[in-house]
Amino acid sequence: PSITTTDALIKGLTYQAPWYLTARLTDVNTEKYKEEEVYMGELPLITPSGAFVINGIERCVVNQLVRSEGAFFISEIDPVTGIPLCTAKILPKNGAWLEFETARNGLITVKIDRKRKLAVTTLLRIFGFNSDNDIREAFAKVENGGRVSYIETTLEKDPTHSYDEAVLEIYKRVRPGDPLIIENARQVVEAMFGNSRRYSLGRTGRFKVNRRLSRDYKGDEGPLTLEKEDMLRVVETMIALNNGVGNFDDIDHLGNRRVRSVGELIVQQMRYGFLQLER
C-alpha cells in the first residue's frame, strides 16, 4: 500500500495498493517475445481490523440475505373477477429476468428484463417450438378441462408465426430504436439466453428450477442456461395453477432466500471490473 490506514482516515483517501501484471507479447512468426509490467489499477486492501477504508470512511462487507435464484409462481387476485391469477418469475444469477403474467381473458405474457410485454408463445419459439401446431401439441394435455384456453388466446394475440419473426419481435422490445436486421437480432437474442457467460441460472438457480419444475436432473445437475423443457414446464405450471391445480410459492419464505457471503459479493464486483477490462 502507498499510504497507511491512519493517513487514509485522516486525509480522506482510500487504503489501497497498485496492482501490476507481467504481460508477455509474443511474435507468432519469430517466437520472440517482450515482457513488460503493466499497471492494472488500484485494489482496496483490508485493514487489520477487518474493514476497508474508502475515501476516508471505514466500511465493511456483510453477508446479504437475498431472494434465491430459481422459478417462482405467485398468486395475484384479479381486482375485477376476484379469481387468483398466476404470475411467475425466473430469476437467474446473471442475465435477463423473465416475468410472466396471466390476464383475466387468459392471455399469458412475458416481460424480458422489465421491458414491454410479449405474448409468451413468441418467447417459446426461441426455444424450439417452431409452429403454432407445435405449441398446441406441447400443451394439449394441460389445456384440457380448463375453463379458459390459455394457449389459444395467447396464439391469437401473438403477431409472430416463425423463429425469425419471434427473434425480431423480441429484438424490438430489448433494443428499441435499433435498425431491424435479422442477423443482429439473432445474435443478440441467442446470446441473451444461449451464452452461459451472459445468462446463467447458477448452481442454486438450477437446483431450485429442477426441484420446482420436477426436472429429471438430480440436485443441481443440468446446464446453467434455460432449456426448451424448462420453458415448457413453466408455462404448464402456470396454466395448471390458473385452473386451480397445485400450490403457489411464498416468495418471503426463508426456503426461497439464500445468503450471499462476503466472498461472493466481492467476486461479483470483480466480475464487473473484469468485464469492463475485457471490453
Side-chain angles (χ1 to χ4, degrees), residues 12 47 57 98 125 128 176 180 187 192-193 197 224 234 260:
T47 64
I57 298 165
L98 292 178
R125 295 181 206 280
L180 288 177
Q187 272 178 354
M192 193 186 291
F193 296 112
R197 291 184 63 195
L224 298 183
V234 166
R260 290 175 76 180

Side-chain angles (χ1 to χ4, degrees), residues 50-68:
F52 295 91
V53 181
I54 309 288
N55 298 333
I57 298 165
E58 270 197 296
R59 295 175 174 274
C60 64
V61 188
V62 293
N63 295 329
Q64 237 185 11
L65 187 65
V66 292
R67 189 176 288 182
S68 173

Side-chain angles (χ1 to χ4, degrees), residues 75-92:
S75 166
E76 284 197 4
I77 304 294
D78 180 48
V80 176
T81 59
I83 295 169
L85 297 172
C86 180
T87 66
K89 288 181 181 178
I90 299 180
L91 307 181

Side-chain angles (χ1 to χ4, degrees), residues 68-274:
S68 173
E69 299 92 47
F72 302 98
F73 299 89
I74 307 144
S75 166
E76 284 197 4
I77 304 294
D78 180 48
V80 176
T81 59
I83 295 169
L85 297 172
C86 180
T87 66
K89 288 181 181 178
I90 299 180
L91 307 181
K93 186 176 183 186
N94 305 316
W97 284 33
L98 292 178
E99 297 175 80
F100 302 82
E101 288 176 15
T102 313
R104 71 176 71 100
N105 65 350
L107 173 68
I108 299 178
T109 54
V110 61
K111 282 184 195 168
I112 300 170
D113 250 352
R114 300 184 175 169
K115 303 278 193 309
R116 282 164 49 216
K117 287 179 186 175
L118 287 161
V120 76
T121 46
T122 306
L123 184 65
L124 289 175
R125 295 181 206 280
I126 301 297
F127 286 90
F129 296 92
N130 300 317
S131 66
D132 290 7
N133 283 336
D134 280 0
I135 295 170
R136 283 191 187 100
E137 281 171 23
F139 295 99
K141 251 192 270 177
V142 76
E143 278 277 74
N144 287 342
R147 59 186 176 79
V148 181
S149 179
Y150 294 94
I151 293 299
E152 283 303 328
T153 310
T154 308
L155 283 171
E156 278 170 30
K157 299 279 184 190
D158 185 359
T160 66
H161 298 285
S162 67
Y163 174 78
D164 283 351
E165 286 177 17
V167 164
L168 286 171
E169 191 67 24
I170 291 172
Y171 186 70
K172 258 194 275 184
R173 300 288 199 280
V174 177
R175 299 271 178 92
D178 282 18
L180 288 177
I181 301 162
I182 186 67
E183 283 78 20
N184 294 0
R186 271 189 191 156
Q187 272 178 354
V188 167
V189 173
E190 282 167 12
M192 193 186 291
F193 296 112
N195 181 349
S196 58
R197 291 184 63 195
R198 289 276 306 276
Y199 187 95
S200 167
L201 289 168
R203 286 178 57 197
T204 312
R206 176 41 78 189
F207 171 79
K208 297 286 280 181
V209 165
N210 289 349
R211 199 162 71 167
R212 185 64 181 91
L213 302 178
S214 309
R215 292 297 313 267
D216 302 333
Y217 300 120
K218 288 177 189 162
D220 58 4
E221 287 174 8
L224 298 183
T225 51
L226 284 172
E227 293 185 302
K228 181 179 180 179
E229 185 71 17
D230 294 322
M231 297 305 297
L232 173 74
R233 297 211 182 180
V234 166
V235 180
E236 271 184 352
T237 307
M238 283 186 75
I239 294 170
L241 286 165
N242 283 325
N243 290 334
V245 180
N247 297 315
F248 290 102
D249 298 321
D250 175 10
I251 203 85
D252 298 320
H253 190 284
L254 285 178
N256 294 327
R257 294 187 172 264
R258 72 180 193 84
V259 174
R260 290 175 76 180
S261 61
V262 171
E264 187 185 339
L265 292 166
I266 294 178
V267 162
Q268 190 70 23
Q269 294 305 313
M270 292 291 285
R271 184 174 176 270
Y272 296 145
F274 276 117

